[in-house]
Amino acid sequence: MRTVVYVDGYNLYYGLLRKTTLKWLDLFALFRDHVLDPEVELIQVRYYTAPVLDRMCDSPESPQRQRRYLQALRKMYPQQIVIIEGKILATTPFQRLVKPIAEAPELQMVQVYDFNEKKTDVNLAADLIAGAWTGAYDQAVVCSNDTDLEAALATVRQHHPGIRLGVVAPIPGDDHRRISTDLSRHAHWSKPLSPVHLKNAQLPERIPHSALCKPETW
């Protein structure tokens, strides 16, 4: 069964990876060896992400670490992993306070940084649908718990009933009830992504035939 995996990078990051030391993740090995059935032919992992902005990061080194990670994936899997980048849009809107601040009761609105990821969901959904119509896969697996992808899954399921669909939710724990029902109801199978699998699917400390190394801190 020819299988393509579509990974919502930011959903994976904020769902499981953000507060861990497991960010040097081997995406291809993760799905090939720990998520999919052994008889499945994993032909491609499509990874949707966006370059982080300096001012949205906890560490000033985060953009460099992200670039190094993407370079490592491309070096390890030049054919099997495709990285599709969107962008982060930064705005500074005024937002109304939910509760007044005791020290400044006259203050009703504050100006905040607002960061929005653009194109990722649309790119993933468009590629998922295009792959069904062009016969790119026999099975598509979506790694996300984002309900914005529901329409794309529903469209493939309705118009291509012979295609098998899976949903892998990057959520902590093994409680299947936390998987979005908006997504799972259109899939033939669904499962949560285990942190144990992430731990067992790490890239080499140094990428072979390159100078790329895992960051000392992340």
Side-chain angles (χ1 to χ4, degrees):
M1 187 182 298
R2 297 175 305 123
T3 298
V4 175
V5 176
Y6 297 81
V7 180
D8 180 344
Y10 272 78
N11 199 263
L12 172 60
Y13 179 80
Y14 286 105
L16 277 181
L17 290 174
R18 186 181 183 188
K19 296 182 179 180
T20 74
T21 59
L22 306 175
K23 302 180 184 73
W24 198 238
L25 182 63
D26 187 329
L27 285 172
F28 198 83
L30 172 68
F31 289 97
R32 180 192 61 198
D33 301 335
H34 303 288
V35 175
L36 300 173
D37 292 337
E39 67 273 13
V40 164
E41 179 190 2
L42 178 56
I43 57 177
Q44 193 175 79
V45 173
R46 300 181 66 84
Y47 181 56
Y48 299 81
T49 187
V52 297
L53 302 177
D54 291 347
R55 57 186 180 276
M56 70 176 286
C57 300
D58 298 330
S59 167
E61 297 177 355
S62 290
Q64 180 182 356
R65 290 194 291 252
Q66 184 196 37
R67 287 194 295 271
R68 189 187 307 182
Y69 174 61
L70 297 181
Q71 289 171 352
L73 290 179
R74 291 186 177 105
K75 184 67 176 178
M76 282 285 292
Y77 299 100
Q79 303 298 325
Q80 299 97 328
I81 291 182
V82 177
I83 298 170
I84 301 93
E85 295 190 37
K87 64 180 180 179
I88 301 294
L89 180 64
T91 58
T92 55
F94 286 89
Q95 301 283 358
R96 190 176 301 276
L97 291 171
V98 176
K99 296 181 180 179
I101 300 174
E103 294 79 4
E106 74 286 353
L107 190 64
Q108 296 183 350
M109 301 187 74
V110 294
Q111 190 174 19
V112 300
Y113 277 118
D114 187 35
F115 300 101
N116 291 293
E117 186 184 1
K118 295 295 184 180
K119 298 185 179 181
T120 294
D121 291 345
V122 173
N123 286 340
L124 194 159
D127 286 351
L128 177 68
I129 292 172
W133 258 266
T134 59
Y137 53 73
D138 304 314
Q139 174 176 242
V141 177
V142 173
C143 178
S144 180
N145 209 37
D146 188 343
T147 58
D148 287 347
L149 298 172
E150 178 188 6
L153 283 168
T155 297
V156 174
R157 184 68 184 264
Q158 177 182 354
H159 294 283
H160 297 272
I163 288 177
R164 189 168 176 83
L165 295 174
V167 170
V168 177
I171 54 176
D174 58 359
D175 187 351
H176 283 72
R177 291 172 297 180
R178 298 185 60 192
I179 301 175
S180 167
T181 54
D182 289 338
L183 300 184
S184 62
R185 66 180 175 176
H186 302 295
H188 296 86
W189 59 270
S190 61
K191 64 173 66 173
L193 189 59
S194 169
V196 175
H197 296 159
L198 301 182
K199 184 178 180 180
N200 292 330
Q202 294 291 296
L203 291 167
E205 293 280 335
R206 179 167 182 164
I207 304 302
H209 312 296
S210 79
L212 295 167
C213 296
K214 179 181 178 180
E216 294 182 4
T217 59
W218 203 334

